[in-house]
Amino acid sequence: MACISPDGKLSESGMKMLNTLKSGSATPEDVARIALPPLFRVRSGLRELAQAGIVKTDGDKYLVTEKGMALKS
Amino acid sequence: MEELKEKVISLPRLGEPAPSFESTTTHGVLKLEDFKGNWLIMFSHPADFTPVCTTEFIAFAEIYPELQKRGVELLGLSVDSVSSHIAWVRNVEEKTGVKIPFPIIADLNKEVSLAYGMIHPGQSKTETVRCVFIIDPKQIIRTVLYYPLTTGRNMQEILRIIDALQMADEHHVATPANWKPGEKVVVPPPNTQEGAEERVKEGYECVDWYLCRKKI
């Protein structure tokens, strides 16, 4: 599922991924295990969140940016 | 048409890497590599809101839990728009109660269809035929099936192929005609004369050195 709607709002699945990452950086595999299988959806969703500047990559892990932290759960 | 002919000649073949793509789907933008580490059944259908395709989507949705147990994801494709796909899967759910749980590529520009040889002009110049590509976790094409527009696919055969491929990979064996899980498998034949002489003494159920079966 797309994580960000055309009006810029985070979908339920996008919010789940963001909240998982707010408790610490994680790989897509970790996020899928904790929050939202299947893995392909997490990989696609995290890429979308990264393009929007809400998360960023650090090696093979994703972490939340200041912009992402400012978004309310 | 010339471009189409050229693309059809370069059909992906068994044992080769699956052509990569990045496509709009009913679950957002997906890339082939998003499925890495899982088996993937990528299949095309001619068009949304058509009778045989609707029965196939319901049937794919019905085997989805069994596929998940085997670590397999499903990805549909046609040259319809994402809005058409969304309207169709919502209609299927409303009319039949079956939710379509897997994404569907909206291949409006036919980029993926052509890369995978899904358009067979002898059948239709504009629609994809009923293709099934079984792609392994390393993204190598392991099975290709083509069904004509008039014939819906057999889900039990697709499940059987997945079981057979996973059995072959895990146990380094082959599966005989009409094999089903639980039945004996074929031991790969030896490739030396010495191996052939030893094979019949190894305790397998053998017709001769080149056809031996065992239970897994």
Side-chain angles (χ1 to χ4, degrees), chain B residues 180-195:
Chain B
K180 289 197 268 312
E183 295 178 353
K184 287 175 182 160
V185 297
V186 170
V187 185
N191 50 16
T192 62
Q193 197 169 342
E194 185 187 17

Side-chain angles (χ1 to χ4, degrees), chain A residues 1 38 40-41 43-44 47, chain B residues 27 29 34-36 73:
Chain A
M1 300 295 164
F40 76 83
R41 222 177 268 173
R43 285 174 175 153
S44 156
R47 192 166 58 240
Chain B
H27 291 201
V29 174
D34 291 335
F35 296 91
K36 209 165 198 167
E73 290 296 342

